[in-house]
Amino acid sequence: MTTVIDRHTPARAEDLELAGLLLDTLRLIKMATVASREHSHVSANRAGVLWQLGERARRSAELAQRCAMTAPALTELVDSLTRDGFVRRLEDPADRRVVLVELTAQGRRELDKHREAMKRGVAALLARVPADKRARLRAALADLNESIDAMTKETANAR
């Protein structure tokens, strides 16, 4: 899911503050759920690649960009994931010079295990938040997801 965010519209101070809080929260969640991820046997980098392939096969160059990795680093990681049976390389039917990376059934199972471990870790954090605040958070996140979906559709239609 690639989106283009309008960087020309100045952000309001309160929105910047909220964005900072959200980014800090995501970082803290990532740090707090390391223990739960240990059960999936997948490092953060490997999980990131699998996650990006969850929707569809991707070109190696696109995958490297989406994972914020250099091409050589991604190649090494894909080699490792291929050896473990989590991904496979394919020729792009539209251009045989292009390599696609695709999740295998085993990779899908590993991704699902990793996602469940992450969910359990985040659920443990959320359990410490009062029910009324969890309900407000659920509503706010649903609204945020709808906004992201709408922006993604607008971007796709603009192309």
Side-chain angles (χ1 to χ4, degrees), residues 26-48 51 110-111 113-122 125:
L26 293 172
R27 179 183 56 79
L28 291 171
I29 287 172
K30 183 177 179 181
M31 289 171 36
T33 57
V34 167
S36 62
R37 288 196 313 262
E38 289 172 358
H39 300 293
S40 73
H41 308 293
V42 176
S43 71
N45 281 345
R46 289 167 61 98
W51 199 277
E110 194 64 29
L111 177 60
K113 281 191 335 190
H114 179 79
R115 188 170 197 279
E116 286 304 310
M118 291 292 295
K119 283 172 48 177
R120 282 191 302 278
V122 173
L125 296 172

Side-chain angles (χ1 to χ4, degrees), residues 37-66:
R37 288 196 313 262
E38 289 172 358
H39 300 293
S40 73
H41 308 293
V42 176
S43 71
N45 281 345
R46 289 167 61 98
V49 170
L50 296 177
W51 199 277
Q52 291 299 327
L53 297 172
E55 296 173 13
R56 62 179 172 81
R58 296 190 186 277
R59 291 175 167 219
S60 293
E62 176 192 7
L63 190 55
Q65 180 184 20
R66 291 175 70 97

